[in-house]
Amino acid sequence: MRVLTAKHLSLAVLMAATLGSISCTNLDENPYTAITDVNFNPTAADLPLLMAPAYAPLRNSWMSWYGMVDWQEETADAFLTPERPNGWDDGQIYYQNHQHAWTPVGPGMATGQWGNFYNGILHANRVIYQLENDIIPVDAATKTGTIAELRGLRAYYYSLLLDLFGNVPIVTDYTDQTVPEQKTRAEVFDFVTKEFEAVIPGLSTATGYPAMHGRMNQFAAKGLLARIYLNAQVYTGTAQWEKVLTLTNELISSGKFQLDATYRGAFARNNHLSPELIFAVPYDAVNATQSNFHMKTLKPDLRFALGLTTGPWGGSAGNPQFVDTYDPDDGRLADTWLMGEVYEATNSGRCPSSQIPGRCGYTFQKHVSGMRHDKPSRIVQFYEGFPVRKYEIYNGQTGASDVDYPALRYADVLLMRAEAFLRTGRAGEAATLVTQVRQRNFKGTAAAKATVTGAELMQGSRYNYGWYDVDGVVKTGPGGTPTTNGGADIQYGRFLDELGWELAIEGQRRQQLIRFGVYTKKTWFNHTPNGDFRILFPIPQNRLDTNNKMKQNPGY
């Protein structure tokens, strides 16, 4: 998201501007040594600033270090962080997530995301309480609309807890100081869906930047609710495909959104203007700096080739088994992964003599060897594996990114609807929608490849599941027999492939693999199945230690 004026604004003022129609133009400060009920006298003009902390944890949750994009992909089959010559062992955290070997006391995702989500819930509850008790004096319409918005945001946080941890406490009363009781996954699902359904009629139907960008409006709520119903069978044992069809139809028929002209448009530096984004998490390299995913995947020397102002860290890359599933003519292959040769524009004096005179080159190769830990393999060399380039890398980029995270986009809605069609026996209608999504990615003589049929979507996956051995051959195990067609037995596997190509590295792959029965059953790279209970993460032990009303998820 761009800075709103020529002058760098403070984060508070930036949030006030992006939160829309209520604005504050008086920047005079009234310093206090303490804020109490006596000296805290908010006005309607303060509402955006009071709401901002409820949204802010989303920035740490998604594109930040150990963010959701990282962990939802690291635990799945398209993305990994092997040990490199410069390290990346990091207490084996990446290896543990790759192998599904995490524990309740382990570092990283589990504890961090639990805290992020409940922090957002706490602040949503606070402002709801302040509005309901007239501590923030606003007119009736503003009060009703803002409470609906915050309840929708709170439901989104709970939907993320539902997906990751399942059995979590539900807290809605800001003044309640009792220890909260743990709810079952089915109870959390019921709460989340009922909350969204209750608030949708009262949410704003306004769209666009800056007023509604990054905010929970009616369309964001419908799309996020559709995604919850898409996974209902996983969460509760009962499918809800017709509800997915109803909600996606309402979004499509609204006419408010459309596919961007190019695939990269939804991931560009100015993607806050993309007609495809329905709900986004805003980032700004000056005022909202938590997005550093590019630093994790790009190599240090790329700062000179790509014009960055700092050296990235260079750990993560695409799993070559996943990369092999793409059609070579699919534009999403090159739009997602940085492949082949990349050269500096000028000689920096660091070029080896073998390089083209005046230009340092870096050649990225798809092959990577296995992860080094207790497996028989070597450290993965620096330029093995394709880094992610899906989120725009731009000249002058710092350690933070301006690219907003597309938490929900129109292509996602089309594919949710297509999946619901496919699973309810309407494969032809599913194919029409998938073809629509594919058409912008196959150009020229390859344009005909964009068209798919319902019969094709019902085929198995192109993904050759199996052990990716150190010689780059997929086998039954280390040194075993080569395998082929390792995904042929997956029901609707070709549609799962389509989800992978379109939504790669958007923090959805784990969820997809669980829904298609792959996550705890298949082998990929040097990951082998490690228990069906792994579809849920463990409740962080430090949370159990402070709440005697909770018990650990089964299997841990």
Side-chain angles (χ1 to χ4, degrees):
M1 181 176 60
R2 305 296 68 72
V3 182
L4 297 182
T5 70
K7 179 180 179 181
H8 291 320
L9 303 178
S10 70
L11 179 57
V13 177
L14 180 66
M15 286 302 299
T18 59
L19 279 169
S21 59
I22 301 173
S23 62
C24 177
T25 57
N26 182 1
L27 304 183
D28 295 338
E29 294 183 352
N30 294 309
Y32 299 100
T33 56
I35 298 178
T36 68
D37 289 341
V38 175
N39 61 26
F40 178 62
N41 296 300
T43 67
D46 296 315
L47 182 57
L49 301 180
L50 296 170
M51 291 173 64
Y55 280 96
L58 290 177
R59 296 199 299 271
N60 279 325
S61 297
W62 282 105
M63 298 297 287
S64 188
W65 187 251
Y66 291 168
M68 287 280 282
V69 168
D70 196 346
W71 292 117
Q72 291 276 28
E73 301 292 342
E74 290 274 358
T75 58
D77 63 355
F79 186 67
L80 47 85
T81 303
E83 189 175 355
R84 302 282 186 177
N86 66 333
W88 289 97
D89 177 82
D90 289 13
Q92 299 196 1
I93 187 169
Y94 303 108
Y95 179 72
Q96 290 171 0
N97 280 277
H98 176 71
Q99 292 287 19
H100 296 184
W102 49 74
T103 70
V105 296
M109 194 287 304
T111 300
Q113 295 306 337
W114 182 285
N116 284 335
F117 301 154
Y118 274 110
N119 188 26
I121 290 166
L122 170 69
H123 287 293
N125 286 341
R126 170 183 55 80
V127 182
I128 291 171
Y129 165 79
Q130 291 171 328
L131 287 166
E132 288 178 339
N133 291 275
D134 297 322
I135 297 172
I136 307 172
V138 295
D139 62 79
T142 300
K143 179 177 180 178
T144 300
T146 304
I147 290 175
E149 179 178 348
L150 290 167
R151 286 177 64 187
L153 177 62
R154 183 178 65 188
Y156 178 49
Y157 281 119
Y158 275 116
S159 76
L160 298 174
L161 288 162
L162 165 72
D163 188 64
L164 295 184
F165 304 104
N167 309 293
V168 302
I170 296 174
V171 180
T172 60
D173 184 351
Y174 181 68
T175 65
D176 187 357
Q177 298 185 27
T178 62
V179 177
E181 294 185 359
Q182 187 177 29
K183 302 296 184 181
T184 67
R185 199 179 201 189
E187 288 173 325
V188 180
F189 173 87
D190 286 343
F191 169 78
V192 169
T193 54
K194 288 176 181 177
E195 277 290 283
F196 269 128
E197 289 168 351
V199 303
I200 281 173
L203 289 172
S204 174
T205 58
T207 60
Y209 174 85
M212 295 307 298
H213 184 65
R215 292 181 62 178
M216 184 64 65
N217 63 9
Q218 190 172 117
F219 306 105
K222 286 182 178 180
L224 295 171
L225 180 57
R227 185 180 292 166
I228 296 164
Y229 283 133
L230 187 74
N231 292 281
Q233 192 163 24
V234 173
Y235 298 152
T236 70
T238 302
Q240 301 268 16
W241 306 120
E242 291 301 325
K243 291 185 178 180
V244 176
L245 291 172
T246 297
L247 288 163
T248 54
N249 181 61
E250 290 175 3
L251 285 167
I252 293 167
S253 62
S254 74
K256 296 280 189 177
F257 309 97
Q258 63 187 52
L259 293 174
D260 204 300
T262 66
Y263 182 68
R264 292 186 61 78
F267 312 97
R269 188 182 185 186
N270 65 347
N271 66 341
H272 58 288
L273 302 177
S274 172
E276 190 164 336
L277 266 62
I278 301 173
F279 184 56
V281 178
Y283 290 98
D284 184 276
V286 176
N287 297 308
T289 60
Q290 292 90 337
S291 178
N292 55 21
F293 181 80
H294 62 292
M295 299 291 286
K296 184 173 181 288
T297 185
L298 297 177
K299 308 306 175 188
D301 285 348
L302 284 176
R303 66 175 298 186
F304 303 104
L306 300 179
L308 280 68
T309 63
T310 188
W313 311 315
S316 305
N319 182 345
Q321 286 167 282
F322 177 72
V323 173
D324 276 338
T325 65
Y326 284 86
D327 186 308
D329 291 323
D330 189 338
R332 293 170 295 193
L333 174 60
D335 284 343
T336 302
W337 308 103
L338 185 61
M339 305 179 296
E341 297 177 340
V342 180
Y343 286 96
E344 291 181 31
T346 59
N347 186 4
S348 62
R350 298 171 296 102
C351 299
S353 58
S354 61
Q355 297 285 5
I356 297 173
R359 303 176 75 199
C360 290
Y362 317 97
T363 301
F364 295 100
Q365 52 184 308
K366 178 183 62 179
H367 169 70
V368 293
S369 61
M371 286 188 167
R372 182 193 185 194
H373 290 296
D374 63 344
K375 303 300 179 186
S377 60
R378 60 184 175 84
I379 294 177
V380 175
Q381 296 305 307
F382 233 34
Y383 299 106
E384 291 184 345
F386 294 152
V388 177
R389 70 178 293 261
K390 182 169 187 172
Y391 301 91
E392 183 179 354
I393 310 301
Y394 50 88
N395 189 56
Q397 189 167 11
T398 65
S401 175
D402 280 334
V403 180
D404 296 342
Y405 169 65
L408 179 69
R409 56 190 181 93
Y410 190 63
D412 194 358
V413 171
L414 294 176
L415 291 175
M416 284 193 283
R417 185 167 179 79
E419 183 172 342
F421 276 143
L422 188 63
R423 292 183 183 271
T424 54
R426 300 161 71 177
E429 291 170 274
T432 299
L433 292 170
V434 173
T435 297
Q436 181 182 348
V437 172
R438 289 171 58 88
Q439 282 174 334
R440 64 180 169 184
N441 303 301
F442 290 87
K443 303 297 183 183
T445 58
K449 288 186 175 183
T451 301
V452 296
T453 67
E456 287 174 323
L457 295 180
M458 296 179 70
Q459 295 172 357
S461 170
R462 292 180 183 174
Y463 197 116
N464 188 21
Y465 287 96
W467 182 276
Y468 190 86
D469 216 347
V470 293
D471 58 2
V473 177
V474 180
K475 302 176 182 176
T476 55
T481 303
T483 64
T484 57
N485 302 321
D489 60 335
I490 299 172
Q491 187 179 26
Y492 312 124
R494 172 58 194 278
F495 183 81
L496 175 61
D497 293 342
E498 294 289 347
L499 294 177
W501 301 324
E502 179 64 27
L503 302 171
I505 319 301
E506 293 185 47
Q508 295 195 46
R509 188 61 175 174
R510 167 187 162 272
Q511 196 176 78
Q512 293 162 6
L513 295 188
I514 293 172
R515 197 166 65 248
F516 282 78
V518 174
Y519 190 67
T520 62
K521 302 300 183 184
K522 289 290 188 180
T523 294
W524 58 81
F525 204 65
N526 64 356
H527 160 90
T528 54
N530 196 19
D532 288 345
F533 68 94
R534 297 287 180 175
I535 63 171
L536 286 176
F537 288 100
I539 307 294
Q541 187 61 46
N542 62 348
R543 307 296 173 171
L544 295 174
D545 292 342
T546 58
N547 186 342
N548 59 10
K549 295 183 179 180
M550 288 199 299
K551 62 181 181 180
Q552 186 54 270
N553 283 332
Y556 296 101

